[in-house]
Amino acid sequence: MAFSLFAKRFGYDIDMKENKLAGSLNELSGKLEGKPEQNILEQQAIRTMAKAKYTTEPEGHYGLGFSHYTHFTSPIRRYPDMMSHRLLQHYLDGKQSPEAAEYEDKCVHSSQMEKRAADAERASVKYKQVEFMEKYVGQAMDGVISGVTEWGIFVELEETRCEGMIRISSMEDDYYVYDDEEMAIIGEKYKGTYRIGDRVRVLVLNTNIEKRTIDFEML
């Protein structure tokens, strides 16, 4: 529901009916292609979904709408792919099903390692973003608010897709307070409001490669 409201701020409607939701999300993906808000909405959708995991339990595939599904990728990229390929050969050779517990342990391990790999990937991407943005310090750029917290506003630049933060403490035109229900910061005196999805213009204030941070200033 939260993501549906979030998408509506960009002018997109999502059908929340159980039998329509998967198709509605796929349709949204097509509409977003090439739009400035594509990355923000796709990332927000991923964050709101339950994280995928490897398991021997027949849980189907929500996005595809399949009640039965097995992970299988070619060419081989991950150990779970190799497990699927070996099991297929095992069955083609006419052998009986192996113990599920042994494979469930491997599934749990693979899920944990994939999370570590994803975390490392995000950290490396952020590092290169900060490195890239060093040459833009002092320049004004357009962006979209991608996140709001009690200590700052995250902004994704439209031109480079790099994300940085405007610290609330640096916004001196009013005293801003974070509103969790509105997912926004609101000025106490002048009631100026900044929400996820708002387009803003910022100054690239500085970068810190060691902390992997990019600081912006609201213009």
Side-chain angles (χ1 to χ4, degrees), residues 43-78:
Q43 290 301 315
Q44 193 69 21
I46 291 170
R47 288 171 190 163
T48 56
M49 291 178 183
K51 295 295 179 285
K53 65 176 182 179
Y54 298 109
T55 179
T56 57
E57 295 297 321
E59 296 183 353
H61 193 291
Y62 175 77
L64 296 174
F66 294 162
S67 57
H68 292 83
Y69 173 85
T70 186
H71 184 81
F72 187 101
T73 308
S74 183
I76 297 165
R77 297 185 300 126
R78 310 169 187 168

Side-chain angles (χ1 to χ4, degrees), residues 84-96:
S84 295
H85 299 175
R86 287 174 175 170
L87 282 169
L88 282 172
Q89 188 61 55
H90 180 86
Y91 298 134
L92 287 170
D93 291 340
K95 298 178 182 179
Q96 293 186 338

Side-chain angles (χ1 to χ4, degrees), residues 44 169 214:
Q44 193 69 21
S169 58
I214 304 168

